[in-house]
Amino acid sequence: MSYETILVEQRGAVTLVTLNRPQALNALNGQVLSELLEAMAAFDKDASQGCAVITGSEKAFAAGADIKEMQAQGFADMYGYDFFAGWDAFTRTRKPIIAAVAGYALGGGCELAMMCDFILAADNARFGQPEIKLAVSPGMGGSQRLTRAVGKAKAMEMCLTGRMIDAAEAERAGLVARIVPAAELVEEAVKTAAAIAGMAPLAVLANKEMVNAAYETTLTQGVQFERRLFHALFGTADQKEGMAAFVEKRPGNWTGK
Ligand code: CO8
């Protein structure tokens, strides 16, 4: 499959997706959305692939939704077509996705990074929700995911002022999992993704599903959901293999069953 706004390559069991609109600092337009959705659906279906990495350039992960595309739209266009609602499908990807963020992750770019399962940040990464400066607001989940990630005070300040935070502040606030030197970002993200892709596939799906449930449920319901999935994993051949491999001091050999 060839795309115009993204580059997709398979590195072993890792799908590496690079946003590729350098002339617009990877601004997210309708074409990026449809190509990314197609690539992620193919990734999810491909049994040879275990984890994806989404990255941009060293200057910009993505500088937001495409302002030039949105500029002339009115309420009827936005509401009538539920503009960008397609991004919800991205979050239904079942296998893990790592955002490898260098440079600007602003507006929709920050929101896309937060839709991924976790963020690895280059030391030059900058995150922000500057939509208020355009007289609008986050529209791809930023007000909700940022608040859950960094807490109300910082999310409110960022949304109301448009202030960008650097990688160190983002790590302190819990927005990013880890900071790595910019030059090593993609290799480190692919290495991390390869480690995940090397785990038993059903356990990977279950771990992602239960951590995500923490955002949607009460503590009691979430703990119960976790326990049921944990119980269910004892019905898999890979659980027998994983525990036998530990006892026999050898690596596990997974079947995905
Ligand atoms: N959309 C379209 N084009 C963009 C965008 C963007 N978000 N960001 C940058 N570009 C373009 C510029 O227009 C410029 O193009 P040209 O060369 O043709 O003039 C090119 O990329 C390079 O940009 P700059 O010259 O501005 O580069 P600088 O290094 O001077 O500045 C910045 C970099 C600070 C990142 C600056 O480009 C900037 O402020 N960009 C806009 C950031 C922003 O406001 N993002 C939020 C956009 S709104 C949004 O994301 C809403 C999300 C929810 C939508 C959901 C709808 C339902």
Side-chain angles (χ1 to χ4, degrees):
M1 190 66 66
S2 80
Y3 300 104
E4 285 176 15
T5 63
I6 59 174
L7 304 169
V8 181
E9 62 183 285
Q10 294 187 348
R11 296 202 187 170
V14 175
T15 298
L16 174 62
V17 179
T18 306
L19 303 172
N20 189 33
R21 293 188 73 212
Q23 74 287 1
L25 300 184
N26 292 330
L28 306 167
N29 62 11
Q31 189 179 359
V32 178
L33 167 61
S34 63
E35 293 188 354
L36 203 50
L37 288 183
E38 208 173 308
M40 296 326 290
F43 154 70
D44 230 9
K45 269 195 264 161
D46 186 341
S48 76
Q49 299 298 289
C51 188
V53 172
I54 298 189
T55 196
S57 68
E58 193 161 337
K59 174 161 183 186
F61 176 73
D66 191 315
I67 298 168
K68 292 166 190 165
E69 185 181 66
M70 292 185 291
Q71 186 180 7
Q73 308 276 328
F75 171 77
D77 308 305
M78 295 305 248
Y79 185 66
Y81 293 104
D82 209 359
F83 191 74
F84 271 0
W87 286 105
D88 294 343
F90 178 88
T91 63
R92 289 195 289 273
T93 309
R94 296 191 70 207
K95 294 176 191 167
I97 307 170
I98 301 173
V101 174
Y104 296 112
L106 301 178
C110 185
E111 294 171 295
L112 171 59
M114 292 189 292
M115 281 183 221
C116 296
D117 295 304
F118 62 91
I119 302 173
L120 287 185
D123 46 19
N124 74 340
R126 303 186 76 187
F127 299 86
Q129 298 290 160
E131 291 94 333
I132 195 161
K133 295 181 182 172
L134 304 167
V136 291
S137 70
M140 287 163 52
S143 64
Q144 306 305 300
R145 292 196 178 90
L146 188 63
T147 306
R148 283 165 166 78
V150 306
K152 181 182 169 188
K154 204 175 278 287
M156 191 68 94
E157 189 209 358
M158 288 171 69
C159 289
L160 288 177
T161 67
R163 181 174 77 85
M164 291 185 219
I165 60 173
D166 64 16
E169 186 173 355
E171 188 186 34
R172 279 199 305 278
L175 180 60
V176 310
R178 209 146 50 82
I179 302 176
V180 297
E184 294 161 26
L185 176 69
V186 173
E187 288 320 310
E188 186 57 33
V190 169
K191 199 169 115 195
T192 304
I196 294 168
M199 305 293 177
L202 296 176
V204 170
L205 293 183
N207 275 273
K208 170 168 170 167
E209 208 174 344
M210 65 178 72
V211 173
N212 278 336
Y215 280 119
E216 309 288 350
T217 58
T218 63
L219 179 62
T220 304
Q221 288 168 330
V223 169
Q224 193 155 42
F225 180 72
E226 175 196 85
R227 194 175 309 133
R228 291 290 171 259
L229 272 180
F230 171 73
H231 292 161
L233 289 170
F234 283 74
T236 67
D238 281 344
Q239 173 269 330
K240 300 288 171 296
E241 167 63 10
M243 294 193 176
F246 175 81
V247 172
E248 293 160 19
K249 301 188 188 300
R250 60 171 176 83
N253 183 20
W254 316 124
T255 58
K257 298 277 166 58

